[in-house]
C-alpha cells in the first residue's frame, strides 16, 4: 500500500503543477506582481503626504469632513490588474489552495506513517519500497520530505504575501484619508474601526493558509503598516494640533476649543487601538487551534508567537497615549488649575471668629466656587474622552490640584476655627471628586489630610501622639521640615 501512496504523491505533484500553472496564467499573477511592485515604489515616493490635518479639523461638532477626502484615487483603481476586489478574490483563492495542500499533506503523510508502522522493522520490505529512490530526499514514512506540490505552494505563498502587503497598505491609507468623526455616534474617529476590521480580515486569512511562515510574515507586515501608515499619522497630527493656537478673539477661542477636541479624539483613537490590538490577537487564537497544520505542535507554536508579537505592539499605542495625555495636561489643563483656586479662594480666609465660622459653614463659598469652576473646566473632557482616558486625565489633574492646594495652604494663616473650616472644605472637595470617577485614589489627598490634622492640633506637642512608635498605622507623607512649617501656621 505504501508504494501506492508514493505513486499518488508523485502523480499529485505532476497534476497539481499543471493545475497551478493554469491558475497562475488565468489569474495573470505574474503581471499583477510586476504592477504591484511598480505601485509599491510609487507609494514609497508619495509617503511624504501631509497628514497633519485632524480628523475633525473642519468639523463643527456634528461630524466634520476629514482632510484628504477629496484626494484623488490611487492610480491602481484605473488598472484592472490591481483592482482591489480582484486582488482580494485572488488572495482567498491562494489561501484556499494552501489550505487544501496542507489537508492533502496531512492525509497522505498520516496514511504513509500508518503503513510504515505496519511494516515495522522488516528491512526487506523497506528496501523493496524504497528501491530506485534516493533516501536522502525521503522521510521516515517513505514519502518525499519536500514534495513538488509543497514547493509550488510555497512559491504561490510568496505571491500571496506580496499582494496581501500591498492591499493592506493601500486599504489602511484609504481608511486614513476617509477618516471622519461624529461625536453623536462614537468617541473615536472612523479610521479605528475601519483599520482594525481590515486587520482582522488579514490575520484570519493568513491563518487559513495553514502556513506558519505566512502568519509570521503577515504579522510583520501589519506591524510595519501600523507604524508607517497609522501610528505615525496620529503622531504627526498630535504634534501640530496646538500649533499656532494663541488667545485672542472669540474666533480664536473657538478654534482652540476645536483643537482640544481634535486632540482628545486622537487620544481616544490611541486608547481604543491599544485595546483592539489585544483583542485582535486574542480573537485569532481559536483560529490557530482550528487550522490544519502540517506539523501541528511546531506550527502552532510559531503562529502563536506571531500573535504574541501582535498583542505586544499595543504598548506602542499606550506609550504615545501616555505622552499625549501629559502634553494635554501640561498645555491645556494645568494652566487653569491656579486660576481655579484663585477664584475659589477669593474673599475666603481661614482666620475666623465664631460668627464668621458659622457664616462660612452655611455659605461654603470655596467649595461652591471650586465645584463650579472644576465642572466647567472638566466638562468637555468628560463628554469627549473614553472612560479610561478620562480616568487618566483626572489622575493627572488631581496631582496638579493637590500640589497647588498644598502650596496655597503652606502660605496661609489659620486659627482654630479656620483649621476646622479647611478640614470641612477638604472633605467636601474629596467627596465631590470621588463622585466624578470610580478611579479616584484618596491616597492623593493624604498629604493634605495630614496638613488638616496638624492644623487642628490644640498644641504643637500633640504631634508626639502621632509620631514615631506612637504613629501606629499612620504613615507620614510630610517631611519633618514640612510638619514644622505647618505647625507654625496656627
Amino acid at each position: 500500500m505504501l508504494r501506492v501512496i508514493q505513486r499518488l504523491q508523485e502523480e499529485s505533484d505532476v497534476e497539481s503543477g499543471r493545475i497551478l500553472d493554469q491558475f497562475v496564467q488565468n489569474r495573470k499573477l505574474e503581471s499583477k506582481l510586476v504592477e504591484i511592485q511598480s505601485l509599491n515604489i510609487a507609494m514609497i515616493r508619495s509617503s511624504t503626504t501631509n497628514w497633519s490635518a485632524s480628523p475633525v479639523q473642519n468639523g463643527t461638532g456634528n461630524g466634520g469632513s476629514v482632510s484628504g477626502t477629496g484626494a484623488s484615487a490611487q492610480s491602481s483603481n484605473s488598472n484592472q490588474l490591481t483592482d482591489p476586489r480582484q486582488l482580494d478574490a485572488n488572495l482567498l483563492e491562494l489561501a484556499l489552495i494552501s489550505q487544501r495542500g496542507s489537508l492533502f499533506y496531512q492525509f497522505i503523510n498520516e496514511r504513509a506513517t500508518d503503513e510504515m508502522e505496519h511494516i515495522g522493522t522488516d528491512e526487506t520490505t523497506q528496501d523493496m519500497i524504497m528501491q530506485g529512490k534516493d533516501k536522502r530526499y525521503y522521510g521516515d514514512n517513505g514519502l518525499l520530505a519536500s514534495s513538488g506540490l509543497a514547493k509550488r505552494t510555497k512559491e504561490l505563498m510568496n505571491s500571496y504575501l506580496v499582494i496581501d502587503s500591498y492591499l493592506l497598505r493601500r486599504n489602511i491609507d484609504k481608511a486614513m484619508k476617509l477618516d471622519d468623526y461624529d461625536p453623536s455616534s462614537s468617541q473615536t474617529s472612523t479610521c479605528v474601526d475601519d483599520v482594525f476590521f481590515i486587520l482582522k480580515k488579514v490575520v484570519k486569512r493568513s491563518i487559513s493558509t495553514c502556513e506558519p511562515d505566512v502568519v509570521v510574515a503577515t504579522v510583520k507586515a501589519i506591524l510595519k503598516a501600523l507604524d508607517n501608515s497609522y501610528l505615525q499619522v496620529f503622531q504627526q497630527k498630535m504634534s501640530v494640533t496646538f500649533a499656532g493656537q494663541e488667545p485672542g478673539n472669540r474666533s480664536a477661542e473657538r478654534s482652540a476649543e476645536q483643537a482640544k477636541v481634535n486632540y482628545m479624539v486622537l487620544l481616544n483613537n490611541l486608547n481604543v487601538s491599544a485595546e483592539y490590538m489585544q483583542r485582535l490577537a486574542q480573537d485569532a487564537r481559536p483560529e490557530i487551534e482550528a487550522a490544519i497544520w502540517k506539523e501541528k505542535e511546531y506550527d502552532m507554536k510559531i503562529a502563536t508567537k506571531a500573535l504574541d508579537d501582535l498583542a505586544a505592539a499595543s504598548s506602542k499605542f499606550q506609550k504615545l497615549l501616555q505622552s499625549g495625555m501629559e502634553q494635554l495636561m501640561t498645555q491645556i489643563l494645568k494652566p487653569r488649575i491656579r486660576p481655579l483656586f484663585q477664584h475659589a479662594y477669593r474673599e475666603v480666609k481661614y482666620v475666623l471668629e465664631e460668627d464668621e465660622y458659622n457664616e462660612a459653614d452655611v455659605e461654603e463659598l470655596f467649595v461652591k466656587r471650586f465645584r463650579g469652576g472644576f465642572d466647567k473646566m472638566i466638562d468637555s473632557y468628560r463628554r469627549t474622552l473614553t472612560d479610561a482616558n478620562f480616568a487618566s486625565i483626572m489622575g493627572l489633574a488631581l496631582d496638579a490640584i493637590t500640589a497647588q492646594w498644598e502650596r496655597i495652604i503652606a502660605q496661609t494663616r489659620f486659627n482654630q476655627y479656620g483649621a476646622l473650616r479647611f478640614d470641612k472644605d477638604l472633605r467636601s472637595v474629596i467627596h465631590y471628586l470621588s463622585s466624578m470617577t470610580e478611579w479616584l485614589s484618596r491616597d492623593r489627598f493624604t498629604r493634605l489630610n495630614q496638613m488638616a490634622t496638624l492644623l487642628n492640633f490644640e498644641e504643637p506637642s500633640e504631634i508626639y501622639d502621632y509620631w514615631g512608635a506612637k504613629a501606629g498605622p499612620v504613615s507620614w507623607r510630610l517631611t519633618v521640615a514640612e510638619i514644622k512649617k505647618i505647625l507654625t501656621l496656627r
Side-chain angles (χ1 to χ4, degrees):
M1 185 64 181
L2 187 54
R3 292 285 290 179
V4 174
I5 295 175
Q6 287 177 331
R7 180 60 182 157
L8 177 61
Q9 185 186 43
E10 294 167 2
E11 190 63 26
S12 69
D13 285 348
V14 175
E15 293 302 323
S16 63
R18 292 173 181 168
I19 294 170
L20 294 178
D21 283 342
Q22 194 65 37
F23 171 80
V24 170
Q25 182 178 349
N26 289 343
R27 298 297 186 267
K28 301 179 180 178
L29 280 186
E30 292 182 357
S31 299
K32 290 178 179 179
L33 292 175
V34 171
E35 186 66 25
I36 286 173
Q37 294 290 3
S38 300
L39 290 171
N40 282 335
I41 294 173
M43 290 170 71
I44 293 173
R45 289 175 177 172
S46 62
S47 60
T48 55
T49 302
N50 182 11
W51 290 99
S52 60
S54 173
V56 287
Q57 189 78 20
N58 302 320
T60 57
N62 57 354
S65 174
V66 181
S67 164
T69 54
S72 60
Q74 295 187 23
S75 60
S76 59
N77 286 342
S78 61
N79 193 327
Q80 292 184 354
L81 285 175
T82 52
D83 176 24
R85 289 171 296 182
Q86 287 296 322
L87 291 178
D88 196 61
N90 294 155
L91 288 174
L92 288 174
E93 290 174 325
L94 289 168
L96 188 60
I97 288 171
S98 179
Q99 184 188 80
R100 294 295 186 265
S102 182
L103 181 61
F104 178 72
Y105 173 91
Q106 189 179 78
F107 164 74
I108 199 172
N109 275 271
E110 285 181 357
R111 294 300 302 270
T113 299
D114 291 342
E115 288 297 323
M116 189 61 78
E117 288 177 355
H118 180 71
I119 293 171
T121 58
D122 187 346
E123 294 183 2
T124 303
T125 305
Q126 290 182 5
D127 290 340
M128 182 183 69
I129 291 172
M130 301 304 295
Q131 185 178 2
K133 302 182 185 299
D134 190 338
K135 293 183 180 181
R136 293 178 300 173
Y137 302 111
Y138 287 78
D140 294 336
N141 60 4
L143 294 183
L144 283 166
S146 180
S147 67
L149 174 58
K151 293 176 182 177
R152 195 62 196 279
T153 302
K154 187 174 182 179
E155 292 174 3
L156 289 177
M157 287 301 97
N158 290 333
S159 300
Y160 171 97
L161 291 172
V162 172
I163 297 172
D164 191 50
S165 179
Y166 164 73
L167 271 186
L168 173 65
R169 172 77 180 275
R170 180 192 179 281
N171 288 336
I172 289 179
D173 284 348
K174 184 177 180 181
M176 301 307 289
K177 287 181 179 179
L178 297 177
D179 193 20
D180 194 12
Y181 170 64
D182 181 359
S184 65
S185 62
S186 177
Q187 293 176 308
T188 64
S189 60
T190 59
C191 70
V192 178
D193 284 338
D194 290 346
V195 167
F196 278 90
F197 175 81
I198 294 166
L199 298 186
K200 184 176 182 179
K201 180 179 179 181
V202 169
V203 170
K204 184 176 181 179
R205 187 168 56 204
S206 73
I207 296 173
S208 74
T209 65
C210 303
E211 285 288 346
D213 291 342
V214 171
V215 178
V216 171
T218 298
V219 168
K220 288 181 179 179
I222 286 174
L223 296 180
K224 183 178 180 181
L226 286 177
D227 279 345
N228 296 335
S229 302
Y230 188 70
L231 194 60
Q232 191 178 65
V233 173
F234 292 153
Q235 198 166 12
Q236 290 173 351
K237 288 179 179 180
M238 289 169 66
S239 67
V240 300
T241 298
F242 297 121
Q245 298 291 339
E246 297 179 1
N249 55 31
R250 188 170 299 177
S251 176
E253 291 178 2
R254 285 197 299 267
S255 177
E257 183 65 23
Q258 186 61 57
K260 185 176 73 173
V261 171
N262 294 345
Y263 197 84
M264 288 191 285
V265 172
L266 290 171
L267 295 179
N268 289 346
N269 288 349
L270 290 170
N271 173 228
V272 175
S273 294
E275 295 175 3
Y276 280 4
M277 285 295 287
Q278 295 283 347
R279 192 185 305 173
L280 178 64
Q282 189 63 35
D283 291 348
R285 296 186 192 279
E287 302 284 342
I288 289 180
E289 293 284 344
I292 307 167
W293 305 103
K294 294 177 181 177
E295 306 292 338
K296 190 172 182 65
E297 185 176 345
Y298 177 76
D299 291 351
M300 283 182 61
K301 183 178 180 181
I302 294 176
T304 301
K305 174 62 169 59
L307 292 186
D308 291 341
D309 294 341
L310 192 64
S314 66
S315 62
K316 294 182 179 180
F317 293 95
Q318 292 287 6
K319 184 177 180 180
L320 184 57
L321 173 60
Q322 182 61 32
S323 174
M325 280 291 180
E326 292 171 358
Q327 184 180 358
L328 181 65
M329 180 65 201
T330 302
Q331 293 193 222
I332 304 299
L333 199 53
K334 190 174 181 179
R336 299 183 63 182
I337 300 296
R338 186 178 178 184
L340 170 66
F341 276 100
Q342 288 175 336
H343 172 71
Y345 269 125
R346 183 165 48 86
E347 299 175 355
V348 173
K349 60 182 181 178
Y350 285 130
V351 176
L352 304 171
E353 298 299 329
E354 184 176 0
D355 57 338
E356 291 176 316
Y357 171 80
N358 292 331
E359 183 180 349
D361 210 28
V362 173
E363 293 181 347
E364 291 190 317
L365 283 180
F366 169 77
V367 174
K368 290 178 180 178
R369 289 171 181 169
F370 181 89
R371 291 182 60 172
F374 191 79
D375 274 340
K376 184 178 180 181
M377 181 178 72
I378 210 72
D379 182 60
S380 63
Y381 299 91
R382 184 166 39 193
R383 285 185 288 103
T384 307
L385 291 172
T386 61
D387 289 344
N389 280 350
F390 180 66
S392 180
I393 201 68
M394 275 291 290
L396 295 173
L398 291 179
D399 288 340
I401 285 171
T402 53
Q404 179 63 31
W405 207 351
E406 288 172 17
R407 285 192 291 270
I408 292 172
I409 297 306
Q411 300 169 7
T412 304
R413 299 298 299 176
F414 293 82
N415 64 3
Q416 183 179 8
Y417 285 113
L420 287 172
R421 182 66 254 162
F422 168 62
D423 186 62
K424 287 187 176 182
D425 287 344
L426 178 59
R427 294 177 186 276
S428 296
V429 168
I430 292 175
H431 177 73
Y432 157 69
L433 294 173
S434 298
S435 67
M436 293 188 65
T437 174
E438 299 176 5
W439 295 278
L440 175 68
S441 173
R442 291 178 180 267
D443 185 63
R444 286 188 167 93
F445 292 90
T446 299
R447 286 171 56 86
L448 283 167
N449 277 319
Q450 291 179 353
M451 287 180 178
T453 299
L454 293 171
L455 291 169
N456 278 281
F457 284 164
E458 292 290 341
E459 297 291 338
S461 60
E462 291 184 35
I463 183 62
Y464 296 111
D465 294 332
Y466 298 88
W467 193 262
K470 296 182 179 180
V474 177
S475 176
W476 285 93
R477 301 292 181 84
L478 300 174
T479 65
V480 174
E482 288 172 330
I483 288 174
K484 289 180 178 179
K485 182 176 182 180
I486 294 300
L487 290 174
T488 63
L489 299 177
R490 279 272 316 261

